[in-house]
Amino acid sequence: MEGRHVLVYNADVAVDKLTTFAGLKRYRTPEWLVVAPHPFFPASYCLREKLWQEIELFDAIEFSHFYTPRVDFNRAAVKLARALGLPLIGTSDSHIDAQFGTTFSLIDADPTVEAVLSAIKAGHVSVVSRPLSLTRCASIVAQHALGAGWERARSWLRPNPQAPRTILTPR
Protein backbone atom coordinates (compact mmCIF):
# COMPACT_ATOMS: atom_id res chain seq x y z
CA MET A 1 0.00 0.00 0.00
CA GLU A 2 1.76 3.09 -1.26
CA GLY A 3 4.98 1.06 -1.16
CA ARG A 4 4.44 -0.07 2.45
CA HIS A 5 3.51 -3.51 3.76
CA VAL A 6 -0.01 -3.80 5.18
CA LEU A 7 -1.82 -7.07 5.87
CA VAL A 8 -5.56 -7.16 5.18
CA TYR A 9 -7.52 -10.27 6.14
CA ASN A 10 -11.04 -11.15 5.03
CA ALA A 11 -11.21 -8.36 2.46
CA ASP A 12 -14.09 -8.56 0.03
CA VAL A 13 -12.91 -6.10 -2.62
CA ALA A 14 -10.41 -6.38 -5.44
CA VAL A 15 -6.79 -5.83 -4.49
CA ASP A 16 -6.43 -2.96 -6.96
CA LYS A 17 -8.85 -0.91 -4.83
CA LEU A 18 -6.50 -1.23 -1.84
CA THR A 19 -3.31 0.27 -3.22
CA THR A 20 -3.60 3.46 -1.15
CA PHE A 21 -4.49 4.28 2.43
CA ALA A 22 -7.40 6.34 1.07
CA GLY A 23 -8.67 3.21 -0.70
CA LEU A 24 -8.36 1.21 2.50
CA LYS A 25 -10.35 3.88 4.36
CA ARG A 26 -13.02 3.91 1.66
CA TYR A 27 -13.62 0.16 1.31
CA ARG A 28 -12.78 -1.18 4.76
CA THR A 29 -15.55 -2.95 6.66
CA PRO A 30 -15.75 -4.08 10.30
CA GLU A 31 -15.36 -7.71 9.15
CA TRP A 32 -11.79 -7.07 8.00
CA LEU A 33 -8.64 -7.40 10.09
CA VAL A 34 -5.88 -4.92 9.21
CA VAL A 35 -2.43 -5.60 10.66
CA ALA A 36 0.74 -3.51 10.66
CA PRO A 37 3.55 -5.99 9.87
CA HIS A 38 7.08 -5.32 11.15
CA PRO A 39 6.19 -1.61 11.41
CA PHE A 40 9.44 -0.18 12.79
CA PHE A 41 12.04 -2.15 10.86
CA PRO A 42 14.52 0.09 9.02
CA ALA A 43 13.31 -0.69 5.50
CA SER A 44 11.49 1.46 2.97
CA TYR A 45 8.56 -0.97 2.77
CA CYS A 46 7.84 -0.76 6.51
CA LEU A 47 5.17 1.57 7.83
CA ARG A 48 7.24 3.49 10.40
CA GLU A 49 5.90 7.10 10.49
CA LYS A 50 3.00 6.14 8.20
CA LEU A 51 1.65 3.93 11.00
CA TRP A 52 1.27 6.99 13.22
CA GLN A 53 -0.45 8.90 10.41
CA GLU A 54 -2.90 6.08 9.61
CA ILE A 55 -3.20 4.37 13.01
CA GLU A 56 -7.02 4.40 13.01
CA LEU A 57 -6.96 1.87 10.12
CA PHE A 58 -5.14 -0.82 12.11
CA ASP A 59 -6.64 -3.51 14.33
CA ALA A 60 -3.38 -5.15 15.42
CA ILE A 61 0.41 -4.85 15.23
CA GLU A 62 2.78 -7.63 14.31
CA PHE A 63 5.45 -8.92 16.67
CA SER A 64 7.97 -10.15 14.12
CA HIS A 65 10.10 -13.26 14.45
CA PHE A 66 13.12 -11.36 13.10
CA TYR A 67 14.93 -10.21 16.23
CA THR A 68 17.83 -11.18 18.44
CA PRO A 69 18.36 -10.61 22.16
CA ARG A 70 20.29 -7.41 21.30
CA VAL A 71 18.70 -6.15 18.08
CA ASP A 72 14.92 -5.93 18.38
CA PHE A 73 12.79 -3.59 16.29
CA ASN A 74 9.72 -5.06 17.99
CA ARG A 75 10.28 -2.95 21.10
CA ALA A 76 8.69 0.13 19.52
CA ALA A 77 5.80 -2.00 18.20
CA VAL A 78 5.13 -3.47 21.64
CA LYS A 79 5.25 -0.03 23.24
CA LEU A 80 2.80 1.40 20.69
CA ALA A 81 0.41 -1.56 20.94
CA ARG A 82 0.31 -1.26 24.73
CA ALA A 83 -0.18 2.52 24.63
CA LEU A 84 -3.11 2.23 22.19
CA GLY A 85 -4.59 -1.02 23.50
CA LEU A 86 -4.03 -2.83 20.20
CA PRO A 87 -3.32 -6.58 20.18
CA LEU A 88 0.01 -7.99 19.05
CA ILE A 89 0.05 -10.77 16.44
CA GLY A 90 3.00 -13.17 16.30
CA THR A 91 4.57 -13.05 12.83
CA SER A 92 1.70 -12.83 10.46
CA ASP A 93 4.01 -11.88 7.59
CA SER A 94 6.44 -14.63 6.51
CA HIS A 95 8.07 -15.09 3.12
CA ILE A 96 10.24 -18.22 3.44
CA ASP A 97 10.03 -21.49 5.38
CA ALA A 98 12.91 -20.56 7.70
CA GLN A 99 10.75 -17.82 9.21
CA PHE A 100 8.12 -20.21 10.59
CA GLY A 101 8.10 -21.72 14.06
CA THR A 102 9.96 -19.20 16.20
CA THR A 103 7.12 -16.70 16.70
CA PHE A 104 3.42 -17.37 16.39
CA SER A 105 0.00 -16.49 17.80
CA LEU A 106 -2.26 -18.52 20.06
CA ILE A 107 -5.82 -17.36 19.52
CA ASP A 108 -8.65 -18.27 21.89
CA ALA A 109 -11.50 -18.72 19.41
CA ASP A 110 -13.66 -21.20 17.57
CA PRO A 111 -12.03 -22.28 14.29
CA THR A 112 -13.99 -19.97 11.99
CA VAL A 113 -12.75 -16.90 10.17
CA GLU A 114 -15.22 -14.63 11.91
CA ALA A 115 -14.46 -16.00 15.39
CA VAL A 116 -10.68 -15.81 14.92
CA LEU A 117 -10.75 -12.23 13.61
CA SER A 118 -13.12 -11.14 16.40
CA ALA A 119 -10.93 -12.79 19.03
CA ILE A 120 -7.83 -11.03 17.72
CA LYS A 121 -9.58 -7.66 17.71
CA ALA A 122 -10.77 -8.31 21.28
CA GLY A 123 -7.21 -9.10 22.35
CA HIS A 124 -7.77 -12.81 22.94
CA VAL A 125 -4.41 -13.60 21.41
CA SER A 126 -1.03 -14.46 22.92
CA VAL A 127 2.33 -14.23 21.23
CA VAL A 128 4.77 -17.12 21.67
CA SER A 129 8.30 -16.20 20.65
CA ARG A 130 12.00 -16.74 21.10
CA PRO A 131 14.79 -14.57 19.67
CA LEU A 132 16.89 -15.76 16.75
CA SER A 133 20.62 -16.27 16.83
CA LEU A 134 22.75 -13.98 14.67
CA THR A 135 23.51 -16.99 12.45
CA ARG A 136 19.81 -17.70 11.88
CA CYS A 137 19.16 -14.01 11.11
CA ALA A 138 21.99 -13.99 8.58
CA SER A 139 20.64 -17.17 6.99
CA ILE A 140 17.17 -15.66 6.61
CA VAL A 141 18.58 -12.48 5.07
CA ALA A 142 20.67 -14.57 2.64
CA GLN A 143 17.65 -16.69 1.66
CA HIS A 144 15.60 -13.53 1.04
CA ALA A 145 18.37 -12.05 -1.10
CA LEU A 146 18.85 -15.26 -3.06
CA GLY A 147 15.11 -15.63 -3.57
CA ALA A 148 14.77 -12.08 -4.85
CA GLY A 149 17.79 -12.52 -7.13
CA TRP A 150 16.44 -15.80 -8.48
CA GLU A 151 13.05 -14.20 -9.25
CA ARG A 152 14.76 -11.32 -11.10
CA ALA A 153 16.85 -13.77 -13.12
CA ARG A 154 13.78 -15.86 -13.99
CA SER A 155 11.91 -12.76 -15.17
CA TRP A 156 14.84 -11.79 -17.40
CA LEU A 157 15.01 -15.29 -18.89
CA ARG A 158 11.25 -15.65 -19.34
CA PRO A 159 10.19 -14.64 -22.84
CA ASN A 160 8.01 -11.55 -23.05
CA PRO A 161 5.05 -12.26 -25.36
CA GLN A 162 4.60 -8.53 -26.12
CA ALA A 163 8.23 -7.99 -27.13
CA PRO A 164 8.94 -7.76 -30.86
CA ARG A 165 10.67 -10.87 -32.13
CA THR A 166 13.80 -10.78 -34.21
CA ILE A 167 14.52 -13.82 -36.29
CA LEU A 168 18.12 -14.26 -37.27
CA THR A 169 18.77 -16.09 -40.51
CA PRO A 170 22.16 -17.15 -41.81
CA ARG A 171 23.48 -15.30 -44.88
Side-chain angles (χ1 to χ4, degrees), residues 122-169:
H124 299 202
V125 58
S126 303
V127 174
V128 178
S129 185
R130 66 178 185 273
L132 302 176
S133 68
L134 286 175
T135 303
R136 185 110 185 245
C137 281
S139 172
I140 290 169
V141 168
Q143 287 180 47
H144 267 288
L146 287 172
W150 177 246
E151 282 304 310
R152 271 194 304 276
R154 283 180 46 189
S155 70
W156 292 334
L157 296 172
R158 202 175 299 132
N160 181 350
Q162 279 84 29
R165 296 190 184 260
T166 303
I167 300 173
L168 299 175
T169 56

Short mmCIF file of all heavy atoms in Angstrom, two decimals, residues 122-169:
data_model
loop_
_atom_site.label_atom_id
_atom_site.label_comp_id
_atom_site.label_asym_id
_atom_site.label_seq_id
_atom_site.Cartn_x
_atom_site.Cartn_y
_atom_site.Cartn_z
N ALA A 122 -10.44 -8.43 19.86
CA ALA A 122 -10.77 -8.31 21.28
C ALA A 122 -9.56 -8.56 22.18
O ALA A 122 -9.66 -8.45 23.40
CB ALA A 122 -11.88 -9.29 21.64
N GLY A 123 -8.43 -8.89 21.57
CA GLY A 123 -7.21 -9.10 22.35
C GLY A 123 -7.09 -10.48 22.95
O GLY A 123 -6.27 -10.70 23.85
N HIS A 124 -7.84 -11.45 22.44
CA HIS A 124 -7.77 -12.81 22.94
C HIS A 124 -6.70 -13.60 22.18
O HIS A 124 -6.97 -14.67 21.63
CB HIS A 124 -9.13 -13.50 22.83
CG HIS A 124 -10.20 -12.82 23.61
ND1 HIS A 124 -11.33 -13.45 24.02
CD2 HIS A 124 -10.31 -11.56 24.08
CE1 HIS A 124 -12.09 -12.61 24.69
NE2 HIS A 124 -11.49 -11.45 24.73
N VAL A 125 -5.53 -13.03 22.15
CA VAL A 125 -4.41 -13.60 21.41
C VAL A 125 -3.15 -13.45 22.25
O VAL A 125 -2.95 -12.44 22.92
CB VAL A 125 -4.26 -12.92 20.02
CG1 VAL A 125 -4.06 -11.43 20.14
CG2 VAL A 125 -3.16 -13.54 19.20
N SER A 126 -2.32 -14.49 22.22
CA SER A 126 -1.03 -14.46 22.92
C SER A 126 0.07 -14.71 21.91
O SER A 126 -0.09 -15.52 21.00
CB SER A 126 -0.96 -15.56 23.98
OG SER A 126 -2.00 -15.43 24.90
N VAL A 127 1.18 -14.03 22.10
CA VAL A 127 2.33 -14.23 21.23
C VAL A 127 3.31 -15.17 21.93
O VAL A 127 3.65 -14.97 23.09
CB VAL A 127 3.02 -12.89 20.91
CG1 VAL A 127 4.31 -13.11 20.12
CG2 VAL A 127 2.07 -11.98 20.14
N VAL A 128 3.74 -16.19 21.20
CA VAL A 128 4.77 -17.12 21.67
C VAL A 128 6.00 -16.86 20.80
O VAL A 128 5.90 -16.87 19.58
CB VAL A 128 4.32 -18.59 21.52
CG1 VAL A 128 5.42 -19.53 21.96
CG2 VAL A 128 3.03 -18.82 22.29
N SER A 129 7.14 -16.60 21.44
CA SER A 129 8.30 -16.20 20.65
C SER A 129 9.60 -16.51 21.37
O SER A 129 9.64 -16.59 22.59
CB SER A 129 8.23 -14.70 20.37
OG SER A 129 9.27 -14.31 19.52
N ARG A 130 10.64 -16.66 20.57
CA ARG A 130 12.00 -16.74 21.10
C ARG A 130 12.91 -16.03 20.09
O ARG A 130 12.70 -16.12 18.89
CB ARG A 130 12.44 -18.17 21.36
CG ARG A 130 12.57 -19.03 20.13
CD ARG A 130 13.06 -20.45 20.49
NE ARG A 130 13.30 -21.23 19.31
CZ ARG A 130 12.38 -21.96 18.67
NH1 ARG A 130 11.15 -21.99 19.11
NH2 ARG A 130 12.70 -22.63 17.59
N PRO A 131 13.91 -15.31 20.60
CA PRO A 131 14.79 -14.57 19.67
C PRO A 131 15.63 -15.52 18.81
O PRO A 131 15.90 -16.65 19.19
CB PRO A 131 15.67 -13.74 20.60
CG PRO A 131 15.56 -14.37 21.94
CD PRO A 131 14.27 -15.12 21.99
N LEU A 132 16.04 -15.01 17.66
CA LEU A 132 16.89 -15.76 16.75
C LEU A 132 18.36 -15.53 17.09
O LEU A 132 18.72 -14.49 17.63
CB LEU A 132 16.66 -15.30 15.31
CG LEU A 132 15.24 -15.41 14.75
CD1 LEU A 132 15.19 -14.80 13.36
CD2 LEU A 132 14.78 -16.85 14.74
N SER A 133 19.18 -16.47 16.73
CA SER A 133 20.62 -16.27 16.83
C SER A 133 21.06 -15.38 15.66
O SER A 133 20.35 -15.26 14.66
CB SER A 133 21.35 -17.61 16.75
OG SER A 133 21.21 -18.15 15.45
N LEU A 134 22.22 -14.79 15.78
CA LEU A 134 22.75 -13.98 14.67
C LEU A 134 22.92 -14.83 13.42
O LEU A 134 22.67 -14.37 12.30
CB LEU A 134 24.07 -13.32 15.06
CG LEU A 134 23.95 -12.15 16.03
CD1 LEU A 134 25.33 -11.65 16.44
CD2 LEU A 134 23.15 -11.02 15.41
N THR A 135 23.33 -16.08 13.59
CA THR A 135 23.51 -16.99 12.45
C THR A 135 22.19 -17.23 11.73
O THR A 135 22.12 -17.19 10.51
CB THR A 135 24.10 -18.33 12.93
OG1 THR A 135 25.33 -18.07 13.61
CG2 THR A 135 24.34 -19.28 11.78
N ARG A 136 21.12 -17.46 12.49
CA ARG A 136 19.81 -17.70 11.88
C ARG A 136 19.31 -16.44 11.17
O ARG A 136 18.73 -16.52 10.09
CB ARG A 136 18.82 -18.15 12.94
CG ARG A 136 17.47 -18.53 12.41
CD ARG A 136 17.22 -20.02 12.51
NE ARG A 136 15.96 -20.39 11.89
CZ ARG A 136 14.93 -20.89 12.54
NH1 ARG A 136 15.01 -21.11 13.84
NH2 ARG A 136 13.83 -21.22 11.90
N CYS A 137 19.53 -15.28 11.77
CA CYS A 137 19.16 -14.01 11.11
C CYS A 137 19.89 -13.86 9.79
O CYS A 137 19.29 -13.52 8.77
CB CYS A 137 19.47 -12.82 12.01
SG CYS A 137 18.28 -12.54 13.31
N ALA A 138 21.20 -14.11 9.80
CA ALA A 138 21.99 -13.99 8.58
C ALA A 138 21.50 -14.97 7.52
O ALA A 138 21.42 -14.63 6.33
CB ALA A 138 23.47 -14.22 8.88
N SER A 139 21.15 -16.17 7.92
CA SER A 139 20.64 -17.17 6.99
C SER A 139 19.34 -16.72 6.35
O SER A 139 19.13 -16.87 5.14
CB SER A 139 20.44 -18.50 7.73
OG SER A 139 19.77 -19.43 6.91
N ILE A 140 18.45 -16.14 7.14
CA ILE A 140 17.17 -15.66 6.61
C ILE A 140 17.39 -14.51 5.63
O ILE A 140 16.79 -14.47 4.56
CB ILE A 140 16.22 -15.27 7.76
CG1 ILE A 140 15.76 -16.53 8.49
CG2 ILE A 140 15.03 -14.46 7.26
CD1 ILE A 140 15.04 -16.28 9.79
N VAL A 141 18.27 -13.59 5.98
CA VAL A 141 18.58 -12.48 5.07
C VAL A 141 19.15 -13.01 3.76
O VAL A 141 18.75 -12.58 2.67
CB VAL A 141 19.56 -11.48 5.74
CG1 VAL A 141 20.12 -10.49 4.72
CG2 VAL A 141 18.88 -10.75 6.87
N ALA A 142 20.07 -13.98 3.85
CA ALA A 142 20.67 -14.57 2.64
C ALA A 142 19.61 -15.26 1.79
O ALA A 142 19.60 -15.12 0.56
CB ALA A 142 21.77 -15.54 3.03
N GLN A 143 18.70 -16.00 2.42
CA GLN A 143 17.65 -16.69 1.66
C GLN A 143 16.73 -15.68 0.98
O GLN A 143 16.31 -15.89 -0.16
CB GLN A 143 16.85 -17.60 2.58
CG GLN A 143 17.61 -18.84 2.98
CD GLN A 143 16.78 -19.73 3.90
OE1 GLN A 143 15.62 -19.98 3.62
NE2 GLN A 143 17.37 -20.17 4.99
N HIS A 144 16.41 -14.59 1.66
CA HIS A 144 15.60 -13.53 1.04
C HIS A 144 16.31 -12.96 -0.18
O HIS A 144 15.72 -12.78 -1.24
CB HIS A 144 15.34 -12.40 2.03
CG HIS A 144 14.07 -12.53 2.78
ND1 HIS A 144 12.84 -12.34 2.20
CD2 HIS A 144 13.83 -12.81 4.08
CE1 HIS A 144 11.90 -12.51 3.10
NE2 HIS A 144 12.47 -12.80 4.25
N ALA A 145 17.59 -12.65 -0.01
CA ALA A 145 18.37 -12.05 -1.10
C ALA A 145 18.48 -13.01 -2.28
O ALA A 145 18.30 -12.62 -3.43
CB ALA A 145 19.75 -11.65 -0.60
N LEU A 146 18.75 -14.28 -1.98
CA LEU A 146 18.85 -15.26 -3.06
C LEU A 146 17.51 -15.45 -3.76
O LEU A 146 17.44 -15.54 -4.98
CB LEU A 146 19.35 -16.60 -2.51
CG LEU A 146 20.82 -16.65 -2.13
CD1 LEU A 146 21.14 -17.95 -1.43
CD2 LEU A 146 21.70 -16.48 -3.36
N GLY A 147 16.44 -15.48 -2.98
CA GLY A 147 15.11 -15.63 -3.57
C GLY A 147 14.76 -14.47 -4.47
O GLY A 147 14.25 -14.65 -5.58
N ALA A 148 15.06 -13.26 -4.03
CA ALA A 148 14.77 -12.08 -4.85
C ALA A 148 15.63 -12.08 -6.11
O ALA A 148 15.16 -11.76 -7.20
CB ALA A 148 15.01 -10.81 -4.04
N GLY A 149 16.89 -12.45 -5.97
CA GLY A 149 17.79 -12.52 -7.13
C GLY A 149 17.34 -13.58 -8.12
O GLY A 149 17.37 -13.36 -9.34
N TRP A 150 16.91 -14.72 -7.62
CA TRP A 150 16.44 -15.80 -8.48
C TRP A 150 15.19 -15.36 -9.25
O TRP A 150 15.05 -15.62 -10.44
CB TRP A 150 16.17 -17.05 -7.65
CG TRP A 150 15.61 -18.18 -8.45
CD1 TRP A 150 14.38 -18.73 -8.32
CD2 TRP A 150 16.25 -18.90 -9.50
NE1 TRP A 150 14.19 -19.73 -9.23
CE2 TRP A 150 15.34 -19.87 -9.98
CE3 TRP A 150 17.49 -18.81 -10.10
CZ2 TRP A 150 15.63 -20.74 -11.00
CZ3 TRP A 150 17.79 -19.69 -11.14
CH2 TRP A 150 16.87 -20.63 -11.58
N GLU A 151 14.27 -14.68 -8.58
CA GLU A 151 13.05 -14.20 -9.25
C GLU A 151 13.39 -13.19 -10.34
O GLU A 151 12.81 -13.22 -11.41
CB GLU A 151 12.07 -13.60 -8.25
CG GLU A 151 11.29 -14.64 -7.49
CD GLU A 151 10.53 -15.60 -8.39
OE1 GLU A 151 9.81 -15.15 -9.31
OE2 GLU A 151 10.67 -16.83 -8.19
N ARG A 152 14.34 -12.29 -10.07
CA ARG A 152 14.76 -11.32 -11.10
C ARG A 152 15.36 -12.04 -12.30
O ARG A 152 15.04 -11.73 -13.44
CB ARG A 152 15.75 -10.32 -10.53
CG ARG A 152 15.11 -9.11 -9.92
CD ARG A 152 16.10 -8.00 -9.68
NE ARG A 152 17.23 -8.40 -8.84
CZ ARG A 152 17.23 -8.40 -7.51
NH1 ARG A 152 16.16 -8.03 -6.86
NH2 ARG A 152 18.29 -8.78 -6.84
N ALA A 153 16.23 -13.03 -12.03
CA ALA A 153 16.85 -13.77 -13.12
C ALA A 153 15.80 -14.53 -13.94
O ALA A 153 15.86 -14.53 -15.17
CB ALA A 153 17.89 -14.74 -12.56
N ARG A 154 14.84 -15.14 -13.28
CA ARG A 154 13.78 -15.86 -13.99
C ARG A 154 12.96 -14.91 -14.86
O ARG A 154 12.59 -15.25 -15.98
CB ARG A 154 12.87 -16.58 -13.00
CG ARG A 154 13.50 -17.85 -12.46
CD ARG A 154 12.64 -18.58 -11.49
NE ARG A 154 11.26 -18.71 -11.94
CZ ARG A 154 10.30 -19.17 -11.19
NH1 ARG A 154 10.54 -19.53 -9.96
NH2 ARG A 154 9.08 -19.27 -11.64
N SER A 155 12.69 -13.70 -14.37
CA SER A 155 11.91 -12.76 -15.17
C SER A 155 12.71 -12.29 -16.39
O SER A 155 12.13 -12.04 -17.45
CB SER A 155 11.45 -11.57 -14.33
OG SER A 155 12.53 -10.74 -13.99
N TRP A 156 14.02 -12.19 -16.26
CA TRP A 156 14.84 -11.79 -17.40
C TRP A 156 14.89 -12.91 -18.44
O TRP A 156 14.91 -12.65 -19.64
CB TRP A 156 16.26 -11.46 -16.98
CG TRP A 156 16.40 -10.23 -16.15
CD1 TRP A 156 15.58 -9.14 -16.13
CD2 TRP A 156 17.41 -9.97 -15.18
NE1 TRP A 156 16.02 -8.22 -15.21
CE2 TRP A 156 17.15 -8.70 -14.61
CE3 TRP A 156 18.51 -10.68 -14.73
CZ2 TRP A 156 17.95 -8.14 -13.64
CZ3 TRP A 156 19.31 -10.12 -13.75
CH2 TRP A 156 19.02 -8.86 -13.22
N LEU A 157 14.90 -14.15 -17.97
CA LEU A 157 15.01 -15.29 -18.89
C LEU A 157 13.67 -15.67 -19.50
O LEU A 157 13.62 -16.28 -20.56
CB LEU A 157 15.58 -16.50 -18.15
CG LEU A 157 17.01 -16.32 -17.63
CD1 LEU A 157 17.40 -17.51 -16.76
CD2 LEU A 157 17.98 -16.16 -18.79
N ARG A 158 12.59 -15.31 -18.86
CA ARG A 158 11.25 -15.65 -19.34
C ARG A 158 10.94 -14.81 -20.58
O ARG A 158 11.10 -13.59 -20.55
CB ARG A 158 10.24 -15.34 -18.23
CG ARG A 158 8.95 -16.07 -18.34
CD ARG A 158 8.04 -15.81 -17.15
NE ARG A 158 8.64 -16.26 -15.91
CZ ARG A 158 8.69 -15.54 -14.78
NH1 ARG A 158 8.16 -14.34 -14.74
NH2 ARG A 158 9.24 -16.02 -13.70
N PRO A 159 10.50 -15.44 -21.64
CA PRO A 159 10.19 -14.64 -22.84
C PRO A 159 9.00 -13.72 -22.60
O PRO A 159 8.06 -14.09 -21.92
CB PRO A 159 9.86 -15.69 -23.90
CG PRO A 159 9.77 -16.99 -23.21
CD PRO A 159 10.30 -16.85 -21.82
N ASN A 160 9.08 -12.53 -23.16
CA ASN A 160 8.01 -11.55 -23.05
C ASN A 160 7.15 -11.66 -24.30
O ASN A 160 7.61 -11.34 -25.40
CB ASN A 160 8.61 -10.15 -22.92
CG ASN A 160 7.54 -9.09 -22.78
OD1 ASN A 160 6.36 -9.35 -22.96
ND2 ASN A 160 7.97 -7.88 -22.47
N PRO A 161 5.88 -12.09 -24.16
CA PRO A 161 5.05 -12.26 -25.36
C PRO A 161 4.77 -10.96 -26.11
O PRO A 161 4.48 -10.98 -27.29
CB PRO A 161 3.76 -12.88 -24.83
CG PRO A 161 3.81 -12.77 -23.36
CD PRO A 161 5.22 -12.46 -22.95
N GLN A 162 4.85 -9.80 -25.45
CA GLN A 162 4.60 -8.53 -26.12
C GLN A 162 5.84 -7.98 -26.85
O GLN A 162 5.73 -7.06 -27.64
CB GLN A 162 4.13 -7.46 -25.12
CG GLN A 162 2.65 -7.55 -24.78
CD GLN A 162 2.38 -8.57 -23.69
OE1 GLN A 162 3.23 -8.81 -22.84
NE2 GLN A 162 1.21 -9.17 -23.71
N ALA A 163 7.00 -8.52 -26.54
CA ALA A 163 8.23 -7.99 -27.13
C ALA A 163 8.30 -8.36 -28.62
O ALA A 163 7.92 -9.46 -29.01
CB ALA A 163 9.45 -8.54 -26.41
N PRO A 164 8.78 -7.42 -29.44
CA PRO A 164 8.94 -7.76 -30.86
C PRO A 164 10.00 -8.85 -31.02
O PRO A 164 10.97 -8.90 -30.28
CB PRO A 164 9.40 -6.45 -31.51
CG PRO A 164 9.82 -5.57 -30.38
CD PRO A 164 9.19 -6.08 -29.13
N ARG A 165 9.75 -9.75 -31.93
CA ARG A 165 10.67 -10.87 -32.13
C ARG A 165 11.58 -10.57 -33.31
O ARG A 165 11.14 -10.10 -34.36
CB ARG A 165 9.90 -12.16 -32.34
CG ARG A 165 9.09 -12.53 -31.13
CD ARG A 165 8.53 -13.91 -31.27
NE ARG A 165 7.69 -14.19 -30.14
CZ ARG A 165 8.06 -14.90 -29.10
NH1 ARG A 165 9.28 -15.37 -29.02
NH2 ARG A 165 7.24 -15.12 -28.13
N THR A 166 12.82 -10.91 -33.13
CA THR A 166 13.80 -10.78 -34.21
C THR A 166 14.22 -12.18 -34.58
O THR A 166 14.62 -12.97 -33.71
CB THR A 166 15.03 -9.98 -33.73
OG1 THR A 166 14.57 -8.70 -33.27
CG2 THR A 166 16.02 -9.82 -34.85
N ILE A 167 14.11 -12.50 -35.82
CA ILE A 167 14.52 -13.82 -36.29
C ILE A 167 15.81 -13.63 -37.06
O ILE A 167 15.89 -12.86 -38.03
CB ILE A 167 13.44 -14.45 -37.19
CG1 ILE A 167 12.15 -14.59 -36.36
CG2 ILE A 167 13.91 -15.78 -37.74
CD1 ILE A 167 10.96 -15.04 -37.18
N LEU A 168 16.82 -14.33 -36.60
CA LEU A 168 18.12 -14.26 -37.27
C LEU A 168 18.21 -15.41 -38.28
O LEU A 168 17.94 -16.55 -37.95
CB LEU A 168 19.25 -14.37 -36.25
CG LEU A 168 19.28 -13.26 -35.18
CD1 LEU A 168 20.36 -13.55 -34.17
CD2 LEU A 168 19.50 -11.92 -35.83
N THR A 169 18.58 -15.06 -39.48
CA THR A 169 18.77 -16.09 -40.51
C THR A 169 20.19 -16.03 -41.01
O THR A 169 20.77 -14.95 -41.13
CB THR A 169 17.78 -15.90 -41.68
OG1 THR A 169 17.98 -14.58 -42.19
CG2 THR A 169 16.35 -16.07 -41.21
#
